[in-house]
Amino acid sequence: MGYAPQAVIDHAALRHNLQQVRRSASASRIWSVIKANAYGHGIERVARALLNTDGFAVARIDEALNLRQGGFDHPIMIMGGCYTQEALMLAARNGFEVTVHDNQQLSLFDALSLGTHTLTVWLKVDTGMHRLGFPLDHIDQIINRLRALSCVKQLNLMTHLANADDRGDSATQTQLAHFDSLPLHAFSQCSIANSAGVLGFRESHRDWVRPGIMLYGVSPFVGSSADDEGLQPVMTLRSRVIAVRQCQQGDRVGYGGAYECPEAMPVVVVAAGYGDGYPRHAVEGTPVLVEGRRLPLIGRVSMDMITLDARNYPSVKVGDEVVLWGRGLPVEEVAQKAGTIGYELLCGVTSRVNFIDQNVDEDKEV
Ligand SMILES: *Cc1c(COP(=O)(O)O)cnc(C)c1O
């Protein structure tokens, strides 16, 4: 390991977390959500670790094409649907399942129906999130339109939950009630649940669940940890100590002199910064693990470096191993200190960070 950040991706943890989805939603099939380069982990390596899934869900057609070209012949759903005729044709040719969330997308299916291609369509209904999806009172009419199209091989129904990260929020029950007010018999398959739905709302499971963040070992709930939910962190972002300084009382550390040493103290410099995806907004006191000890962040986060208060680990030395998040330090905790969520930190690890695969031996062959 060099003196630069590395993202270690634990395939055994991915397989374990998929197993946790199976345990929680044993009657449902699983769309493993691997959009955004598998939440920053790398789409191909993650897909390889999750071959036991029933299908893969992505946001955009390019992600779906990547997977197919990588040799994955699973069902693949494009959750954002298609926006051009060419994209829809490509989707049909590759056997992708696509959502349709508005009339503009729907009109693309008219032209496709002039040919011989068919595909499975997921009608997306807005049950309360007010982002994508047809309004509830348009659904009858849209069902009729889709049924008249020869390119629609199978018609399914999906919605997305806005507030399921809070187990006590009644908005989820309202969304489920809206979903159940629809003519569900008109659809072959239904899907509602994201990770929070999988773990927190059994009634949301239906035919297919769509977990994302839990596969990566992060709790989808505010105020619960991955450990509480039986999940194992997949990404460990690690680096090394590159300098140890003995500072004097009153010395100011880093850009803007944002931290002033209250006494003579050891200050540690770690090779990791916002140029690697470590959040620049992490506040003073954000924990960082050095050889397993929690040291508080001090001063501003630089592009390539951070500085830590090493008073409770005076024997710290250059080369000591550092964990920015992952095993032993939940990414949720770091995210909270930076005013964001684990999802954003995982997605934001930059391309100069080396990715290393761990425990790949039990992955199956593609
Ligand atoms: C991203 C996404 C998911 C997965 O959400 P998590 O909170 O990561 O489990 C499920 N469904 C849709 C439509 C999504 O966009």
Side-chain angles (χ1 to χ4, degrees):
M1 172 178 165
Y3 284 20
Q6 299 178 327
V8 179
I9 306 300
D10 184 349
H11 290 227
L14 277 164
R15 294 190 299 265
H16 166 85
N17 296 333
L18 179 64
Q19 230 13 72
Q20 290 301 96
V21 179
R22 287 253 182 254
R23 245 172 244 149
S24 302
S26 52
S28 304
R29 280 187 278 176
I30 302 172
W31 289 118
S32 290
V33 178
I34 56 173
K35 62 189 178 190
N37 200 26
Y39 292 44
H41 293 66
I43 190 166
E44 286 215 29
R45 66 162 57 82
V46 168
R48 248 181 285 128
L50 298 179
L51 285 180
N52 280 330
T53 188
D54 300 296
F56 292 114
V58 294
R60 302 178 186 157
I61 182 135
D62 287 1
E63 300 172 319
L65 289 168
N66 265 351
L67 267 184
R68 270 287 181 271
Q69 281 151 15
F72 298 93
D73 55 7
H74 294 66
I76 297 174
M77 175 181 3
I78 304 174
M79 294 189 295
C82 293
Y83 295 89
T84 64
Q85 209 64 65
E86 296 70 40
L88 189 62
M89 177 58 94
L90 265 177
R93 276 212 213 107
N94 284 280
F96 301 151
E97 306 189 14
V98 299
T99 60
V100 54
H101 64 75
D102 72 358
N103 278 309
Q104 194 164 326
Q105 282 190 325
L106 188 51
S107 64
L108 300 175
F109 289 82
D110 293 329
L112 192 69
S113 291
L114 300 174
T116 56
H117 286 292
T118 64
L119 78 186
T120 292
V121 177
W122 289 83
L123 174 55
K124 186 156 190 180
V125 58
D126 176 16
T127 53
M129 188 167 190
H130 301 129
R131 196 178 57 178
L132 297 183
F134 288 98
L136 289 161
D137 57 355
H138 291 197
I139 295 299
D140 286 324
Q141 175 205 336
I142 304 297
I143 292 172
N144 289 334
R145 261 199 77 185
L146 282 164
R147 275 190 170 158
L149 292 170
S150 63
C151 71
V152 179
K153 177 166 64 186
Q154 187 182 97
L155 182 56
N156 298 335
L157 182 67
M158 71 182 280
T159 195
H160 194 42
L161 299 173
N163 296 52
D165 60 337
D166 179 353
R167 281 185 162 105
D169 194 321
S170 64
T172 302
Q173 301 304 342
T174 307
Q175 284 196 264
L176 292 172
H178 283 147
F179 193 87
D180 287 330
S181 73
L182 295 167
L184 300 182
H185 56 85
F187 301 94
S188 303
Q189 318 260 311
C190 291
S191 178
I192 302 175
N194 53 5
S195 298
V198 168
L199 292 170
F201 298 89
R202 179 161 287 282
E203 326 82 271
S204 73
H205 289 176
R206 311 301 160 111
D207 301 298
W208 288 83
V209 292
R210 305 189 309 273
I213 197 72
M214 72 180 285
L215 293 173
Y216 307 98
V218 177
S219 167
F221 300 113
V222 191
S224 93
S225 70
D227 219 27
D228 296 337
E229 307 299 335
L231 303 171
Q232 297 174 359
V234 172
M235 180 196 292
T236 295
L237 186 65
R238 68 182 189 190
S239 187
R240 287 195 190 267
V241 170
I242 56 169
V244 180
R245 308 289 314 276
Q246 286 302 326
C247 289
Q248 301 309 310
Q249 182 181 20
D251 282 355
R252 294 185 164 273
V253 178
Y255 285 116
Y259 180 82
E260 183 179 342
C261 296
E263 58 180 328
M265 59 188 272
V267 169
V268 160
V269 184
V270 173
Y274 62 81
D276 305 299
Y278 192 84
R280 207 185 77 88
H281 297 290
V283 295
E284 188 179 312
T286 302
V288 176
L289 286 187
V290 181
E291 296 290 335
R293 295 167 180 80
R294 289 165 76 101
L295 302 188
L297 183 78
I298 55 174
R300 287 201 196 141
V301 172
S302 308
M303 189 182 292
D304 314 306
M305 283 170 265
I306 54 174
T307 41
L308 311 178
D309 169 355
R311 276 178 291 178
N312 61 21
Y313 180 27
S315 61
V316 62
K317 58 189 186 308
V318 170
D320 277 358
E321 188 171 321
V322 175
V323 170
L324 286 319
W325 64 66
R327 265 193 199 268
L329 182 58
V331 69
E332 297 94 311
E333 194 178 339
V334 179
Q336 202 248 328
K337 292 283 193 185
T340 183
I341 53 177
Y343 295 74
E344 188 184 18
L345 296 190
L346 295 176
C347 285
V349 175
T350 63
S351 59
R352 82 168 172 179
V353 173
N354 259 324
F355 279 68
I356 294 177
D357 293 286
Q358 203 174 54
N359 298 322
V360 294
D361 40 305
E362 281 173 37
D363 288 354
K364 291 200 222 146
E365 289 294 308
V366 179

